[in-house]
Structure formats: C-alpha cells, structure tokens
Amino acid sequence: MSDAYALFLGCTIPLKFPHFEKAFREISALLDITYKEMEGASCCPDPVATQSLNVDTWLTLAARNLAIAEKMDLDIMTVCSGCYETLKTTRVLLEEDKDAFGRVNSVLNQINYKYKGTSDVFHFVELFVQDEMLEKIREKIVTPLDNLNIAAHYGCHLIRPSNILQFDDPERPESMDKILNILGANTVAFASKLECCGYCARLNEDIGFKLVEEKMIDLTRLDNEVDVMVAVCPACVSQYDRKERLLQRNTEEDLNIPILYLPELMALAFGVDQTKLDLSRRSVKPKKLLEKLKI
Amino acid sequence: MTEEKAQKIVKASELDHDLRYKISEQVGAKTLLKCIQCGVCSSGCTVSEFIDLQPHRVVASLLLGLKDVILSSNAIWTCSLCHRCTERCPKGVDYSFILALIRNLAVEEGNAPKEYTDTIKTIYENGFVVPYTEGMKKTIDRRRESFELPEIVSPNLDEIRFIIKNTKLGNLIENENNDKKEDK
Ligand code: SF4
Ligand code: SF4
C-alpha cells in the first residue's frame, strides 16, 4: 500500500451522507492518512442499475474514474463498498480481457482519457487493518470501547467475490473485527453475520425487509446485548437504519439496534467532538450507546 | 405450475444454440461453459425463495439456449448482488456477473426497468447517482459547508454523456428526451 491516495468519495456519501465523510476525514487526519481529492470524478458508477443496463457503460465510466487517479499517479481509496466493488472489478476485468480493454479505451480516447490499469483500488478497511495502522489506531484511543458489544456487518461488496477483491476471507472475514477489537470492543459472533443487507435487490423491497428483520432478530437473541452494529458501506447503513424503524412498527420485539458507519465509531473512540458528527441524523438514534460511553 | 413447465415440449428449432456463446464470449463470462450443474449457486442464493427459476436452472437454460425461459423469468431481475453464487461455484462461473450480462440482453430487447433507466438518466444529467443541480445542489452545498467539507467539483458532463451515448445507452436517454418534448 502506498503513502498517499486519491480519495474516491462516490455519490452517496458526499451528497447524501456528508456526516459520514466528515467522520472519515476526522479520523484520517488523526491517523495521518494522506490523500488528494479526485476532482472531476463521477459516480463510480453504481453496480446495480448501470451494470444491469450495459456492462460496457459501467466499465467505461469506471475506467474514466480510474484514469483520473492514474493521472494523479496514485492508488484509489474508497469509502463505500459499492464504489470499491465497481472500481476494483473493472480493474480486474480489464486486465483479464484485452478486447474489453480496447473497447473501453477507444471510447475514452475520444474524450482524451487513457486507461492503463496502473492505479490499484483499496477500501479504507484494507488500510486500517494493516499492522502498523492498527498500532496507530491503538495510540489514538481517547475513549476505549471496552464495555461495548458490537456486531460487525461486513456487507457483500467488501469481501465477495474474493477472486476479484482479493482481500479478506470470504467465509470467515476478520478485518472489521480486528479494528473493533483494537478499539477495545467485544465483537459478537452471530449466525447471520455474513448475510446481505438486501439494498441492491432494488426491484423487490420485500427481500430487504426479510434480510434486515432476520439479522435484527438474530442479534436480539444473543446472550450479550448488542449496543451497536457497524458497517463500512453507506448503502448497508441506510438500509438497516431505515428498515429497522419500519419493521419496528409491526412487532413486539425491540429491533432498534443503532447502526454506525465504522469511521463514526472510530471518531468517537478518538475523542472527536460528537457534535461535529451529527450522529442524530438517523432513524435509530445511538443515544444509549453515547450514554454508555459517557459522551 | 412446475409440472406444466416440465411437460412443455420445446422443439430443437426453438432453441437458440448460440446463446451460450453469445454470453460466454463477453467480458467476465468465459467460465460459463464449465458449469457442471452441481447446484451450489442455488443452495446459497440469498433470494432463492423470491425467484421462479433457481440460479443453476438459469445457467442450464442458458446452456440449452432457452432464451425465452430465461428472459421471462423473474430471476434475472431479482438478485441482491451478494455474490455468494460466484464465490462458491466450484468451476469458477461468475453467475452474479453473468446475470448482469443477461439483463443487458433484456435491455437490448427493450425491457429495461424504469427504476434503472431513471438511475442512468440521473447520472446523465448530474454525473452522479444523486441529483446535484439547481435547488438540490444548493441544499447539498449548504449541508457540506456546515460540516466544513470541501466543495464538490462535478465531472465534465459532456464526457459522461459521451460515454453513455457511445456505449449503447444513448437510446434510453433519447427516448426520455422525446417523452419530455411530447409531454410539453
Ligand atoms: S455452482 Fe457453478 S458449476 Fe455449480 S451449478 Fe452453479 S454455476 Fe454451475
Ligand atoms: S448474487 Fe444474486 S443470484 Fe447470486 S447468490 Fe446472491 S442473490 Fe443469488
């Protein structure tokens, strides 16, 4: 991994959830992560609609973004698993398939871009879980998360398909747990840990409702009360946050487990002033969690 | 229903024998022909109970050339992109991606879901999947300012539009523009 990155924000975080971006920038500053803004980058583009409509459109828009990072001579750092999947998959597919590589470049050349395949793509979790970074994280802790039970939601596009993403173990991932454990938290084991949030099944909302409900029920049945679930993708966070609330209306169970974007929780552990983070901007408020942390 | 399907006799002349190659020749789909019909993709599928044709059956239909069976199945549009099928396939078939190639085929035949065409139109108009023009832009910029976040530098929209038009999706956008004109 390199010393500096081209920061690829995508659309969802900067335009819909700027408070997540804030948390990410706050912790990056504390951890001395150096990045440059990717001016002129577009939507990654999204791995659901654009890819479904035309794979070439998807690859070419993605390659344009990759080419911007190449011009900066930097590897890309993503803050969203959807962007991570799109950009990394494009990189791998265009390396494997010379025809597609040529097709993409023949379009890009006409708008004065050239895709070479020289910039790699990382999700911030990949960076944070490096040994020296874990050490740095440990050094920055102001409020240890010692008394918290946390459920790590990896989400799909961080770890699968592993032959493309080549990161964590797809059936037994541990990167997020490692980061949470360094912060002092206890991470819980649960049956539905690797289940999908259902956000990408956009044409049938029932799928998302079923998946969110299953995971929440699973979490409420554990011996330890789960204080918070943590995810690393804005789609997963918003999916659980919104659907938990809607499901709550029709059940006796208490399904309201707050869900935080990992950098938000890290920011709390690092003592970042929580008023900067606007943690109340969600349906399931992490009120109890803040009380427990005495923040 | 299942019985009815099983009994339907398909004549050899109705099969699209090139379908398997049409897909396998494309980017990311080379391993399609190696499928051994083990059913692993279906056994772990997140949306199994929501689809009328299980993943391994979609692959079998693809290999047989049963194009209409595939294109009329809800399986091609019902996928959570969890990638477990691809992850676990013993023969390296990237089913979740092949499904996208099949959706591309359906789109070519004029069957693009409105939700998806709306998304590409938003990208065409904003460069982003979230509307970022006029009033929306002002609201977003104000919010970002309150967090002291840097200003967003939008992509050059001519470039984004050029790419969309030159990768065969121009017609989806044009239809929309025509619709708009007609509305007025
Ligand atoms: S898991 Fe792979 S080999 Fe087995 S049926 Fe599915 S696509 Fe075919
Ligand atoms: S990616 Fe789609 S088809 Fe494959 S297992 Fe997941 S939901 Fe099923």
Side-chain angles (χ1 to χ4, degrees):
Chain A
M1 305 195 83
S2 37
D3 299 333
Y5 298 91
L7 178 64
F8 187 83
L9 293 168
C11 319
T12 311
I13 288 193
L15 304 178
K16 279 171 87 175
F17 305 114
H19 44 301
F20 293 174
E21 181 181 334
K22 179 68 175 173
F24 178 79
R25 288 187 191 268
E26 288 285 329
I27 60 166
S28 299
L30 290 167
L31 295 170
D32 302 318
I33 295 169
T34 322
Y35 53 71
K36 293 206 173 96
E37 309 296 325
M38 276 184 73
E39 292 186 353
S42 70
C43 176
C44 58
D46 84 294
V48 185
T50 310
Q51 191 195 61
S52 292
L53 293 173
N54 193 299
V55 162
D56 272 2
T57 312
W58 181 69
L59 291 170
T60 313
L61 284 169
R64 177 185 168 280
N65 286 326
L66 291 164
I68 293 176
E70 288 175 0
K71 266 193 218 156
M72 298 162 78
D73 206 11
L74 293 172
D75 287 336
I76 285 183
M77 163 87 63
T78 61
V79 291
C80 160
S81 304
C83 302
Y84 178 58
E85 171 180 33
T86 287
L87 298 177
K88 194 136 179 192
T89 307
T90 298
R91 177 174 157 71
V92 172
L93 290 181
L94 294 184
E95 200 169 283
E96 273 172 20
D97 191 309
K98 289 298 145 206
D99 287 347
F101 183 92
R103 258 194 334 270
V104 161
N105 268 316
S106 72
V107 177
L108 288 182
N109 292 346
Q110 297 176 61
I111 48 170
N112 301 318
Y113 283 80
K114 189 172 178 196
Y115 172 72
K116 294 184 292 223
T118 48
S119 289
D120 208 342
V121 180
F122 299 99
H123 190 290
F124 67 75
V125 177
E126 273 180 289
L127 173 65
F128 290 176
V129 78
Q130 307 286 312
D131 287 340
E132 60 281 19
M133 199 49 101
L134 286 175
E135 207 31 63
K136 243 185 186 169
I137 292 174
R138 191 203 307 273
E139 285 165 15
K140 295 293 172 196
I141 300 172
V142 173
T143 310
L145 307 182
D146 290 351
N147 56 352
L148 294 190
N149 291 310
I150 301 186
H153 171 76
Y154 282 77
C156 307
H157 302 165
L158 180 69
I159 52 175
R160 287 188 295 261
S162 59
N163 64 338
I164 286 180
L165 300 180
Q166 297 161 24
F167 168 41
D168 209 340
D169 186 320
E171 306 286 354
R172 193 184 182 181
E174 53 179 18
S175 49
M176 288 181 69
D177 288 78
K178 273 191 186 164
I179 297 166
L180 292 164
N181 292 152
I182 279 282
L183 296 170
N186 171 45
T187 48
V188 298
F190 57 111
S192 58
K193 185 166 177 173
L194 296 186
E195 294 305 319
C196 172
C197 75
Y199 181 89
C200 291
R202 272 179 44 193
L203 304 178
N204 184 348
E205 285 250 26
D206 291 348
I207 295 170
F209 276 114
K210 178 196 158 230
L211 291 168
V212 171
E213 184 170 26
E214 275 175 6
K215 194 169 283 216
M216 289 308 126
I217 288 182
D218 196 8
L219 289 178
T220 51
R221 298 284 191 276
L222 300 179
D223 293 343
N224 293 326
E225 189 185 335
V226 174
D227 298 296
V228 61
M229 183 158 87
V230 172
V232 293
C233 172
C236 302
V237 177
S238 66
Q239 171 82 341
Y240 287 105
D241 186 51
R242 204 174 70 82
K243 290 211 162 52
E244 271 178 39
R245 211 45 217 249
L246 296 170
L247 285 164
Q248 190 62 54
R249 292 186 188 153
N250 303 316
T251 172
E252 302 279 285
E253 313 235 11
D254 182 12
L255 300 180
N256 282 330
I257 296 176
I259 170 150
L260 294 189
Y261 179 56
L262 178 61
E264 293 181 299
L265 189 73
M266 291 175 75
L268 290 178
F270 291 172
V272 173
D273 175 5
Q274 64 116 335
T275 56
K276 278 189 185 176
L277 303 172
D278 205 359
L279 292 169
S280 59
R281 198 178 279 278
R282 64 200 70 221
S283 323
V284 183
K285 316 269 183 234
K287 201 166 150 258
K288 260 179 48 201
L289 174 82
L290 294 177
E291 280 165 14
K292 214 167 165 183
L293 288 174
K294 304 198 176 64
I295 306 182
Chain B
M1 164 82 184
T2 331
E3 233 169 77
E4 215 175 275
K5 252 191 194 161
Q7 282 175 9
K8 188 177 172 238
I9 294 167
V10 180
K11 293 202 193 98
S13 57
E14 290 170 34
L15 298 175
D16 180 346
H17 296 290
D18 283 333
L19 184 63
R20 49 159 71 187
Y21 305 119
K22 199 171 169 194
I23 298 290
S24 74
E25 266 168 11
Q26 294 187 52
V27 58
K30 300 222 162 37
T31 46
L32 168 67
L33 306 178
K34 297 197 191 302
C35 172
I36 50 168
Q37 282 298 296
C38 66
V40 164
C41 48
S42 302
S43 73
C45 177
T46 298
V47 302
S48 217
E49 67 195 79
F50 294 92
I51 49 184
D52 55 17
L53 200 61
Q54 297 301 311
H56 74 290
R57 296 279 310 275
V58 173
V59 177
S61 309
L62 201 54
L63 294 173
L64 283 168
L66 292 162
K67 191 171 164 188
D68 294 343
V69 170
I70 299 171
L71 292 186
S72 61
S73 155
N74 74 356
I76 64 172
W77 300 106
T78 314
C79 168
S80 76
L81 279 190
C82 75
H83 300 310
R84 204 144 47 195
C85 47
T86 296
E87 184 61 53
R88 293 181 177 170
C89 173
K91 301 303 283 179
V93 177
D94 191 344
Y95 179 71
S96 50
F97 192 72
I98 286 171
L99 215 45
L101 295 170
I102 301 175
R103 288 192 285 269
N104 288 185
L105 204 65
V107 171
E108 263 173 48
E109 302 203 345
N111 297 317
K114 187 175 178 305
E115 288 88 340
Y116 291 178
T117 48
D118 283 350
T119 302
I120 199 71
K121 281 170 199 159
T122 308
I123 298 178
Y124 188 88
E125 271 155 32
N126 304 274
F128 299 120
V129 86
V130 178
Y132 184 62
T133 36
E134 296 161 29
M136 282 303 290
K137 181 172 177 344
K138 276 198 194 118
T139 314
I140 291 169
D141 287 347
R142 249 201 314 272
R143 259 185 88 193
R144 292 184 59 82
E145 239 170 71
S146 72
F147 285 109
E148 295 174 331
L149 292 170
E151 223 175 284
I152 287 178
V153 180
S154 285
N156 177 332
L157 289 178
D158 290 340
E159 294 173 9
I160 303 305
R161 290 171 184 175
F162 182 87
I163 291 175
I164 292 174
K165 281 188 181 158
N166 284 278
T167 49
K168 294 197 247 166
L169 289 188
N171 62 324
L172 293 182
I173 309 296
E174 251 129 55
N175 287 347
E176 164 72 354
N177 291 345
N178 293 342
D179 292 352
K180 266 191 193 159
K181 270 177 218 147
E182 276 163 31
D183 285 349
K184 280 173 200 165

